[in-house]
């Protein structure tokens, strides 16, 4: 039986970053996935490394928005009616975590972690020779209504307090950055220090190649074959059984598939999301991701075309795709930017793994020695993958962690 120091389950941006960080510290590491690196949720995101994020996504606070969502008129959100009873306890917790004071508390809790998001990516990008996939051109957020722009004042004040640069722009200022945008908005906020990725799959693959160059081994296998044998863990892979004293579980939205049989039930929900690429009309182009804040979608320039990413959908992870939000938001997207023909026949669907307090779980699994958890990164998995990799590697090797891991412990749900 092959033996390794550490087994990392899940080769998304989170698991791949963890495996790379462990290999950098001299451990023998196997990274196991049933598919290729970066082909799960990490394939389809908007590509924004959101180190400048302040407030987490929140439950809608105004009645009009709730009504639009309830009547399935909202472009930013959708749900499957039959799934609501199942997700109701999670939604209640999310509602409680969306109170203004708690959002600010989360902002303070997460700040030290977010502050390392870009530097930790930059370190891996440099050693993985992946700079060609990355842009340092910031992020532009557009607001169609005065009221929604005014609603960002508290967040901008908090950002200033954290030393984060935000620039408020008028329509001309925004169009100076992105001349292809039609003036259908009133205000813009520009975050100049945000970094974005033109091909999230290629970035994860580059990190995986670097991991292999350091001696790491990538294997195909089903994480659900994980068993405990005495003090060690064992898994079946296409290359035969593998044995390790340490296992890191980074299966994103699929993490409960392994944890529930081990008796670990943490309150994870998924916010499903979709993307589709479009060819731009004529010479229309974008130099950075653009958020249409009032309509709840993003346009991001990607290697494959202009990627339109949707907001959230509450539905069972494995229920058939229902990409109805495109019908609701495409008219808005087309009045903002010259979107031409779609590139793919059908939209891509992913599932953001989310805890209601907008924090991932990172650290030891309760009652399972040698098992470390690293999942639930929600809207920020691309952003926080490398920072998570560093934190997990520091925890596993007994080094001093660069952030206090306490807020990320699984025991917070007990
Ligand atoms: C539409 C959309 C837009 C987003 N935009 C952004 C953004 O701009 N910035 C940002 O930071 N985040 C964004 N996110 C969130 C981000 O994509 C996720 O948080 C992140 O990809 C999660 O990474 P992960 O490694 O935890 O999970 P995954 O990438 O899903 O990796 C989990 C891996 O586990 C593997 N796996 C599953 N089951 C098994 C099994 N039984 N055996 C073996 N392997 C298994 C899968 O194949 C997969 O490779 C977005 C998400 C969506 C859906």
């Amino acid at each position: 039986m092959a033996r390794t120091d550490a087994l990392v389950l899940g080769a998304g941006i989170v698991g791949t970053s963890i495996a790379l960080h462990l290999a950098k510290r001299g451990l023998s590491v196997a990274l196991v996935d049933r598919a290729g690196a970066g082909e799960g949720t990490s394939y389809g995101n908007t590509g924004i490394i959101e180190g400048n994020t302040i407030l987490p996504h929140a439950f809608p606070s105004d009645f009009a928005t709730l009504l639009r969502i309830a009547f399935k008129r909202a472009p930013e959100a959708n749900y499957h009616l039959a799934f609501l009873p199942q997700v109701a306890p999670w939604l209640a917790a999310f509602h409680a975590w969306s109170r203004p004071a708690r959002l600010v508390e989360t902002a303070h809790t997460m700040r030290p972690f977010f502050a390392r998001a870009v530097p930790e990516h930059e370190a891996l990008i440099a050693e993985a020779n992946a700079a060609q996939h990355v842009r340092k051109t910031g992020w532009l957020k557009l607001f169609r209504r005065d009221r929604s722009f005014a609603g960002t004042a508290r967040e901008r004040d908090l950002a200033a307090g954290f030393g984060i640069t935000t620039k408020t722009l008028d329509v001309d200022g925004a169009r100076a950055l992105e001349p292809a945008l039609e003036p259908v908005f009133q205000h813009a906020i520009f975050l100049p220090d945000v970094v974005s990725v033109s091909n999230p799959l290629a970035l994860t693959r580059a990190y995986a190649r670097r991991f292999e160059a350091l001696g790491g081994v990538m294997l195909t296998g089903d994480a659900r074959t994980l068993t405990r044998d005495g003090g060690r863990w064992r898994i079946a892979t296409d290359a035969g059984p593998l044995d390790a004293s340490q296992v890191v579980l980074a299966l994103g939205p699929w993490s409960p598939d392994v944890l529930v049989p081990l008796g670990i039930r943490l309150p994870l929900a998924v916010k499903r999301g979709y993307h589709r690429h479009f060819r731009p009309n004529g010479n229309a182009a974008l130099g950075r991701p653009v958020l249409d804040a009032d309509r709840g979608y993003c346009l991001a320039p990607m290697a494959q075309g202009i990627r339109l990413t949707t907001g959230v959908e509450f539905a069972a992870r494995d229920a058939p795709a229902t990409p109805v939000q495109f019908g609701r938001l495409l008219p808005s997207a087309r009045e903002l930017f010259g979107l031409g023909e779609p590139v793919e026949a059908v939209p891509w669907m992913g599932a953001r793994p989310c805890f209601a307090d907008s924090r991932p779980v990172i650290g030891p699994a309760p009652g399972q020695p040698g098992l470390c958890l690293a999942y639930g990164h929600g809207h920020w998995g691309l952003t926080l993958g490398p920072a998570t990799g560093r934190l997990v590697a520091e925890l596993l090797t007994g080094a001093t962690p660069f952030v206090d891991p306490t807020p990320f412990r699984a025991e917070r749900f007990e």
Side-chain angles (χ1 to χ4, degrees):
M1 160 124 35
R3 283 202 153 184
T4 184
D5 294 333
L7 189 59
V8 180
L9 305 180
I13 187 65
V14 174
T16 303
S17 300
I18 292 168
L20 174 47
H21 266 282
L22 289 170
K24 273 156 68 88
R25 284 162 179 77
L27 275 71
S28 68
V29 185
L31 176 58
V32 179
D33 201 295
R34 62 184 174 193
E39 293 178 6
T41 324
S42 301
Y43 171 78
N45 54 54
T46 313
I48 306 171
I49 300 176
E50 299 181 43
N52 284 1
T53 285
I54 304 296
L55 296 178
H57 291 254
F59 199 91
S61 56
D62 66 299
F63 192 59
T65 304
L66 273 175
L67 268 186
R68 275 190 303 115
I69 295 173
F71 286 105
K72 302 208 168 205
R73 297 261 165 78
E76 70 269 28
N78 191 43
Y79 63 93
H80 289 186
L81 188 59
F83 184 65
L84 288 188
Q86 209 175 314
V87 77
W90 188 95
L91 286 174
F94 185 49
H95 185 257
W97 274 101
S98 297
R99 285 202 291 272
R102 293 192 104 176
L103 294 176
V104 173
E105 182 191 328
T106 303
H108 283 277
T109 304
M110 292 297 289
R111 182 74 330 242
F113 208 24
F114 276 125
R116 291 302 307 168
V118 170
E120 295 302 331
H121 262 290
E122 281 176 337
L124 299 192
I125 287 164
E127 59 181 277
N129 287 320
Q132 69 277 22
H133 305 305
V134 180
R135 289 176 297 248
K136 296 183 178 178
T137 51
W139 185 17
L140 191 60
K141 301 183 180 185
L142 308 178
F143 299 84
R144 294 176 184 241
R145 296 182 301 148
D146 293 338
R147 201 164 150 246
S148 48
F149 173 69
T152 65
R154 182 179 55 143
E155 188 166 20
R156 282 183 279 131
D157 283 352
L158 267 172
F162 288 136
I164 291 170
T165 306
T166 60
K167 294 183 179 171
T168 58
L169 302 175
D170 59 12
V171 175
D172 289 343
R175 293 183 76 212
L177 287 172
E178 295 291 357
L181 295 178
E182 296 296 331
V184 294
F185 56 95
Q186 307 292 328
H187 307 275
I189 298 176
F190 180 48
L191 293 130
D193 299 325
V194 168
V195 172
S196 63
V197 176
S198 59
N199 190 335
L201 173 66
L203 187 71
T204 307
R205 281 182 174 165
Y207 291 177
R209 275 197 304 274
R210 175 68 184 151
F211 163 68
E212 289 182 300
L214 291 176
V217 179
M218 298 200 60
L219 295 171
T220 305
D222 188 337
R224 291 170 297 184
T225 62
L226 183 73
T227 51
R228 206 171 176 43
D229 186 10
R232 298 182 70 84
W233 294 94
R234 186 172 295 174
I235 192 174
T237 75
D238 286 3
L242 193 65
D243 175 274
S245 53
Q246 301 275 0
V247 175
V248 184
L249 183 133
L251 294 167
W254 294 278
S255 300
D257 296 1
V258 170
L259 291 179
V260 170
L262 293 173
I264 299 173
R265 289 177 185 272
L266 301 181
L268 186 84
V270 296
K271 293 183 187 171
R272 304 203 312 181
Y274 299 85
H275 85 220
R276 199 167 188 184
H277 297 104
F278 294 84
R279 292 186 184 88
N281 282 337
N283 293 330
L286 290 175
R288 55 187 58 71
V290 173
L291 169 74
D292 188 346
D294 290 299
R295 304 290 157 88
Y297 68 91
C298 270
L299 296 176
M302 291 283 173
Q304 302 99 317
I306 301 290
R307 179 176 290 187
L308 191 164
T309 52
T310 70
V312 305
E313 181 178 68
F314 287 102
R317 183 192 69 195
D318 301 329
T322 48
V324 294
Q325 282 156 284
F326 285 95
R328 295 182 212 155
L329 56 77
L330 262 175
S332 301
R334 288 212 151 101
E335 73 179 8
L336 176 67
F337 179 81
L339 289 179
E341 289 304 305
V343 172
E344 306 93 354
V346 290
W348 170 89
M349 184 183 80
R352 305 171 182 93
C354 299
F355 289 104
D357 59 5
S358 299
R359 290 183 236 150
V361 164
I362 302 171
Q368 295 288 353
L371 179 62
C372 178
L373 308 178
Y375 74 104
H377 291 73
H379 294 261
W380 302 320
L382 170 67
T383 302
L384 294 173
T388 301
R390 175 170 165 190
L391 178 58
V392 168
E394 288 170 347
L395 292 174
L396 259 60
T397 57
T400 305
F402 76 97
V403 283
D404 176 9
T406 314
F408 308 117
R409 287 166 62 89
E411 285 81 358
R412 71 185 191 265
F413 297 111
E414 283 174 358

